[in-house]
Amino acid sequence: PTLSPHTGTVPHPIDVQWARARLIDKRLKEANGEGADRGLYKEGVLVGNAGWFLNEEGGAEIGYAIHRDHRGQGLATIAAQSVMHMMLAGGHKGPIYAQYFQDNPASGRVLEKLGFKRVHEIESQSAGRRSSAMAWVMMLEPTQQGESL
């Protein structure tokens, strides 16, 4: 697995039951204004996804994932920008948070390019690793959000 170790909530391997439950949960959260997920397509092919959710502290946090065959093409930046645009169009006014595991510096570079700043270091759970790993919590101040889009 090359994706799941870099996510907090996607186990490896996944099965149909997990995927169905995940879709139902995401739909309920979107209906309640607690998040949204969207697929990222390139030439009609699903190459990744991006979304936002309320983290444990109640802050709005983004996440994104790009299939390994499509990395290095700027798609993570597009995915992150798209979800931030969706949040702002929906009326989001506060800071936007993101996390990335320290062994995934490419994700950190995407966030830094968009104006996110490191807030602090945490030990975060990874369902794909079935363990925890060190991660950086990043934040984009409301005054910086328009500049990132």
Side-chain angles (χ1 to χ4, degrees):
T2 61
L3 176 63
S4 60
H6 297 298
T7 70
T9 60
V10 178
H12 179 79
I14 64 169
D15 59 25
V16 172
Q17 182 179 357
W18 181 89
R20 284 185 181 139
R22 172 87 167 201
L23 289 171
I24 290 168
D25 180 60
K26 294 289 185 176
R27 286 180 185 153
L28 288 172
K29 286 184 177 173
E30 186 164 354
N32 292 329
E34 299 170 353
D37 265 14
R38 298 292 183 268
L40 180 66
Y41 293 83
K42 181 178 179 186
E43 298 173 3
V45 175
L46 179 65
V47 297
N49 79 306
W52 73 272
F53 58 94
L54 297 179
N55 62 26
E56 293 175 359
E57 293 80 33
E61 185 169 329
I62 66 168
Y64 48 87
I66 305 298
H67 187 275
R68 68 176 169 257
D69 293 345
H70 300 278
R71 294 181 189 151
Q73 302 173 37
L75 297 174
T77 302
I78 292 168
Q81 285 175 320
S82 296
V83 75
M84 290 166 44
H85 181 73
M86 179 174 55
M87 292 171 71
L88 296 174
H92 180 76
K93 302 282 187 222
I96 298 174
Y97 294 90
Q99 288 185 39
Y100 72 94
F101 289 108
Q102 292 177 0
D103 61 357
N104 184 17
S107 192
R109 287 190 296 274
V110 167
L111 295 168
E112 288 169 353
K113 186 182 345 178
L114 295 174
F116 282 78
K117 305 289 183 212
R118 285 184 185 171
V119 177
H120 61 273
E121 182 179 39
I122 62 168
E123 187 171 354
S124 187
Q125 289 299 313
S126 169
R129 298 169 198 244
R130 297 184 182 146
S131 66
S132 62
M134 296 309 293
W136 287 109
V137 174
M138 308 286 282
M139 181 179 69
L140 183 65
E141 294 283 356
T143 56
Q144 301 291 314
Q145 291 169 11
E147 297 171 17
S148 299
L149 298 177

